Amino acid sequence: MADMWVGVNGAEEALRQVNAEMMGAARLLADAAGAKVTAVLYNDASARHAEALAALGADRVAVVESSQDALPPETLGRTLARMVADAAEAPAVVLLADGAEARAAAPALAQAIGAPLFSDVVGIEAASGGAPVFVREPYTAKVVERVQAAPGTATVVATVRRSALAPAEADGSRTAEVVRVPADATALARSIAEVVRAASDRVDLTEADVVVSGGRGLGGPEGFAVIEALADALGAAIGASRPAVDNGWIDIQYQVGQTGKTVAPALYIACGISGSIQHAAGMAASKCVVAINKDPEAEIFALADYGIVADLFEAVPLLQAELARRA
Ligand SMILES: Cc1cc2nc3c(=O)[nH]c(=O)nc-3n(C[C@H](O)[C@H](O)[C@H](O)COP(=O)(O)OP(=O)(O)OC[C@H]3O[C@@H](n4cnc5c(N)ncnc54)[C@H](O)[C@@H]3O)c2cc1C
């Protein structure tokens, strides 16, 4: 079978965890099919992450060269499309990490090469012969679907949810061939002037093992002090519902949900959040949900593994004190 490609954004000092997760899935498919894995590394002209990608299972690292430090998503999609067209054999699968970038790049790629696109994939399995099967959880995880491309499909494009797949284990003895490919120059009409990242010592929301989220029940921006204290005690990331963001209590980068970020931590603690379908869209894949809400009828309890019917301003400090006692 043809090779597996993984798009890797190398802009940051350390490779994001989702790249190890995509590499793990690509390696699994490649091993089942007797194929190879190519990591397409962009926003990293010096290829500083090439060795790490080899250790994670890449047989080949294709470094995208561009005059721009940050490739606009459309350029990334067009570049991948040209690479597919130029390849001796089109890849069986191209994986990209779900997020704002992939939401623009993946459709551009799929459209350009006439490939099916599976978005927000939470699992990848190999059918007999290594053909990829993609697991999705639409309708806020009320349904689990396993989808495959129609027979005869050359390439499938898929975007992968962060924290959903098992990461590849690094093996420092592995090496990869490094090749260089130019970015698609015909798609450079738009350029990214600057990428601004909010500086925070906290663990990234989309990659955190534990997330403590606050909603309208916090009553105001000062309510987040309670959330922060519990998050500090747990080494957790902070999340928020949309009203907390719309009211200006916390920055939009913390919003979880349909129009915010999708998270899948081991533990999600929802404080003063009612559990709307739009919020659930961003957190329903959490492995364990603890809900604290003073309304026993709140919908969040239907999503929760553990429910605490209480005033969050009493319950959260109690939890924190108990954690401190056990530390
Ligand atoms: C197109 C669209 C997209 C949307 N996208 C998103 C999204 O991405 N993310 C998102 O979150 N929402 C989104 N929403 C909004 C969504 O519909 C809900 O309005 C929102 O999720 C509700 O937020 P909440 O639970 O914080 O507030 P509320 O629904 O007002 O719930 C507050 C909860 O706090 C409880 N509470 C109050 N005080 C306390 C206390 N002291 N102690 C304990 N509990 C208390 C209340 O009992 C209540 O259950 C979207 C809506 C639309 C139409």
Side-chain angles (χ1 to χ4, degrees), residues 8-85:
V8 176
N9 186 339
E12 288 176 54
E13 199 59 35
L15 271 184
R16 293 208 161 223
Q17 171 76 0
V18 68
N19 295 303
E21 293 161 6
M22 290 192 291
M23 290 301 298
R27 198 62 263 168
L28 178 130
L29 290 175
D31 289 345
K36 293 200 165 146
V37 174
T38 293
V40 180
L41 179 59
Y42 55 96
N43 297 345
D44 179 16
S46 64
R48 61 186 162 166
H49 295 304
E51 272 180 32
L53 290 167
L56 289 171
D59 300 294
R60 197 169 73 113
V61 179
V63 182
V64 176
E65 293 185 316
S66 166
S67 54
Q68 298 175 313
D69 288 341
L71 278 191
E74 305 84 351
T75 309
L76 172 62
R78 295 280 296 270
T79 300
L80 285 165
R82 211 210 45 236
M83 288 174 68
V84 171

Side-chain angles (χ1 to χ4, degrees), residues 202-228:
R202 274 192 198 284
V203 49
D204 186 86
L205 177 58
T206 55
E207 299 191 341
D209 270 345
V210 183
V211 174
V212 184
S213 264
R216 197 179 342 235
L218 293 179
E222 60 287 346
F224 271 97
V226 177
I227 300 295
E228 276 174 21

Side-chain angles (χ1 to χ4, degrees), residues 214-219 240-244 246 249 255-261 268 270-282 292-301 308-315:
R216 197 179 342 235
L218 293 179
S241 71
R242 181 159 159 177
D246 287 350
W249 302 346
Q255 183 177 318
V256 172
Q258 184 184 315
T259 41
K261 291 190 172 145
Y268 187 87
C271 308
I273 293 177
S274 60
S276 69
I277 193 160
Q278 293 89 356
H279 189 77
I292 305 172
N293 196 304
K294 63 183 184 186
D295 174 7
E297 304 295 326
E299 282 175 62
I300 190 78
F301 289 125
I308 303 173
V309 180
D311 187 319
L312 72 94
F313 294 104
E314 289 170 19

